[in-house]
Amino acid sequence: MSTRRFLLVLLPSAAACGGGGPYSLDLAVERTTEGESTTTSYQLADGFDEPDERAGTIGQGDNCVVAGQSSGTRTATRTFEVQERFNVVGETEAALPMVPGDDEPSRVWASILRERVRAAASVETTELTVDVNADPTQWQTRTYTDEAQSTTAGYHAVAADEFVVRLDMVELWDDLDEMDHSDVELMTMHAPGKGDVWPSQNGNSLFVWEGKEPLEIGDRRLKTDRIAVYTTGTVSPEGDDTSVYDQCFNFGLAQAEDTRPDIDIIDTSTMLLDPGCVGVFEHVREGTQWWYDGILIKETSTVTTVAINEYGYGWGETDESTGVCTWRVSASQDDPTGVPFVQYDVTVSTVSSIVKSFTD
């Protein structure tokens, strides 16, 4: 088995005559992607082995038990279709430091592509709402919405050394010390062969070359590289030992002392979110890809993403004058009864894509 290390940053360079990017100057591709994604809201609290389906917290009630209860559940199913068309318009030279420990970059050529993406989708949502102050106290709502068709167009670059990578035009001539690995998208390994494996950039998926396989695209018969996609060390939304709660958070202390008698001593626990779990992050991807000369020809996969909506210590606080309890949340344990929790959305998408037209 062979493995290759992925290390990529681009240095500024000017376009030059000649050279040769990874793609033919005559390349033109049309690709269609279809899929369905289902998003479900969960809450996982400390001391519980499994998460509850939960869209939020009631927040206020006649007592703190009511204030801390679920405000309902939410599931949304989105059906989508994306049509892509891209073609090569030119090429330019780039510098990529591919050798670990070597500051000298390798000189490679990047293909410049013009891209147009058109997307359409519809969303069906089912919500169960709980409101103890309403009559009835709970009800179900179903909605269906067709999203407006969107069209985007732009340019990007694709370079290939040991790996085929994509980057925005603004990054192509960025300063080395201003670049970050997240500015570059790893597409696939360049010219993989028997025994080659490589990870995704976030380390959660493993790609394995399985061999050559012919695919019929229009009147073309392409000898593609078949790549299996496996899950490695992923976060699980089900609440087991690799749950979102365990993987995305760690606990620390916030402490402060002062010799002045009128200054309070601070000594509280804090709940800290891993930066890798900020926003929507992909953490499971399984399926098969077929690549031809650094171009994704076909893909079937299941992709799971997670978005953390709220987290911290939760506790009830009662107003003595009214008797009403309000639910409070803080990243630090400001009240000794505060229990750590995380509310998050899990989206599972089944995706299939295929190149409809290929010219090079």
Side-chain angles (χ1 to χ4, degrees), residues 21-140:
Y23 297 153
S24 163
L25 291 173
D26 297 322
L27 177 70
V29 177
E30 293 185 13
R31 183 168 55 213
T32 299
T33 300
E34 297 177 338
E36 181 178 278
S37 61
T38 299
T39 301
T40 306
S41 299
Y42 293 96
Q43 172 171 298
L44 185 61
D46 188 31
F48 292 87
D49 294 331
E50 297 182 358
D52 293 324
E53 282 196 37
R54 180 166 176 161
T57 302
I58 290 178
Q60 197 171 72
D62 293 337
N63 58 67
C64 292
V65 173
V66 171
Q69 288 180 347
S70 169
S71 62
T73 62
R74 179 175 59 245
T75 300
T77 299
R78 183 174 186 265
T79 304
F80 57 90
E81 179 178 294
V82 179
Q83 296 180 347
E84 303 170 80
R85 175 178 173 81
F86 55 90
N87 65 284
V88 174
V89 297
E91 52 193 15
T92 188
E93 194 177 16
L96 295 80
M98 297 298 293
V99 181
D102 190 350
D103 294 332
E104 291 298 321
S106 304
R107 309 299 299 186
V108 298
W109 282 82
S111 296
I112 308 302
L113 290 88
R114 176 171 51 205
E115 179 182 54
R116 186 189 70 179
V117 179
R118 179 172 293 172
S122 61
V123 180
E124 184 173 348
T125 303
T126 300
E127 292 186 89
L128 175 64
T129 304
V130 177
D131 186 347
V132 294
N133 298 313
D135 186 16
T137 57
Q138 68 177 41
W139 62 93
Q140 188 177 76

Side-chain angles (χ1 to χ4, degrees), residues 59-65 67 315-328 335:
Q60 197 171 72
D62 293 337
N63 58 67
C64 292
V65 173
W315 71 93
E317 190 174 281
T318 302
D319 186 327
E320 295 182 0
S321 62
T322 63
V324 174
C325 181
T326 301
W327 191 251
R328 306 294 187 190
D335 187 282

Side-chain angles (χ1 to χ4, degrees), residues 130-206:
V130 177
D131 186 347
V132 294
N133 298 313
D135 186 16
T137 57
Q138 68 177 41
W139 62 93
Q140 188 177 76
T141 305
R142 295 179 182 269
T143 60
Y144 173 88
T145 305
D146 284 318
E147 297 181 357
Q149 181 174 283
S150 64
T151 301
T152 59
Y155 295 87
H156 67 273
V158 173
D161 194 295
E162 287 188 291
F163 293 87
V164 182
V165 298
R166 170 180 171 147
L167 62 157
D168 293 335
M169 295 297 294
V170 68
E171 309 293 350
L172 184 60
W173 296 289
D174 206 349
D175 291 335
L176 176 61
D177 56 1
E178 296 178 1
M179 289 286 291
D180 187 88
H181 286 177
S182 62
D183 295 329
V184 180
E185 178 185 343
L186 170 61
M187 297 170 61
T188 189
M189 178 176 282
H190 179 55
K194 184 177 181 180
D196 277 334
V197 299
W198 61 98
S200 60
Q201 281 174 275
N202 62 8
N204 288 333
S205 296
L206 185 69

Side-chain angles (χ1 to χ4, degrees), residues 215-221 355-358:
L215 287 181
E216 302 285 346
I217 303 297
D219 59 354
R220 298 284 301 276
R221 183 178 176 84
V355 166
K356 300 293 188 180
S357 173
F358 180 92

